[in-house]
Amino acid sequence: MQIHRPLVACLVREQRPTFIPPATEDEFSTDTVDWYAVERAINGEGPRPELTRDELREAALWLRRHGMERAVVSVHLCVYERLVKEWEADAGMLGPDQLCTEPGCGKARAGRGLCVNHGAADRKWRQAVAGLGMAA
């Protein structure tokens, strides 16, 4: 028996959140975020604007706060899921069980309970120990 599942891109088209930009003019006109471009990206209006990293972050966080799944946000904004998860960790949207277990690190887990940086350091340490012929 085969289960029919829609493609992730189809899910993006079906969900249409309504974006309400910041209310005051000083919040609206910042140096790093063009809220009109963020609104067009969220609503999927064309032509899709070129977004800065800050604008992508704001759009991704808004979509995640309003219930869109991380994979769908990734496809909708053309960014990596891991990057969306890192933005969520920076914004305090992830629970402690989804953060790196290294003391003082608040980044998102990637594998073995560690973030990308601590995971790479752990991998290098394990390779060095294995090279010496010792058990890690």
Side-chain angles (χ1 to χ4, degrees), residues 44-80:
E45 295 174 9
R48 187 158 165 240
E50 283 291 322
L51 300 177
T52 66
R53 189 172 179 91
D54 290 333
E55 292 165 350
L56 279 171
R57 179 183 186 276
E58 291 298 327
L61 292 177
W62 191 90
L63 290 169
R64 287 292 293 144
R65 283 187 187 110
H66 289 82
M68 191 176 276
E69 294 179 26
R70 193 176 293 129
V72 179
V73 172
S74 171
V75 171
H76 187 74
L77 298 176
C78 300
V79 295
Y80 292 111

Side-chain angles (χ1 to χ4, degrees), residues 12-86:
V12 172
R13 286 189 211 106
E14 291 172 8
Q15 292 186 2
R16 285 269 168 150
T18 304
F19 176 71
I20 300 172
T24 62
E25 189 173 322
D26 60 330
E27 289 177 342
F28 203 83
S29 56
T30 63
D31 293 336
T32 58
V33 177
D34 175 9
W35 291 103
Y36 291 113
V38 171
E39 179 182 15
R40 284 196 309 271
I42 288 172
N43 293 332
E45 295 174 9
R48 187 158 165 240
E50 283 291 322
L51 300 177
T52 66
R53 189 172 179 91
D54 290 333
E55 292 165 350
L56 279 171
R57 179 183 186 276
E58 291 298 327
L61 292 177
W62 191 90
L63 290 169
R64 287 292 293 144
R65 283 187 187 110
H66 289 82
M68 191 176 276
E69 294 179 26
R70 193 176 293 129
V72 179
V73 172
S74 171
V75 171
H76 187 74
L77 298 176
C78 300
V79 295
Y80 292 111
E81 278 186 63
R82 182 177 53 102
L83 185 58
V84 174
K85 189 173 181 181
E86 288 175 11

Side-chain angles (χ1 to χ4, degrees), residues 3 9 12-13 17 19 23 29 33-36 38 62 88-91 98-100 103 114-115 117-118 120 131-132:
I3 299 173
V12 172
R13 286 189 211 106
F19 176 71
S29 56
V33 177
D34 175 9
W35 291 103
Y36 291 113
V38 171
W62 191 90
E88 289 177 52
D90 291 340
Q98 296 177 326
L99 297 176
C100 181
L114 301 172
C115 66
N117 294 338
H118 289 117
L132 295 173

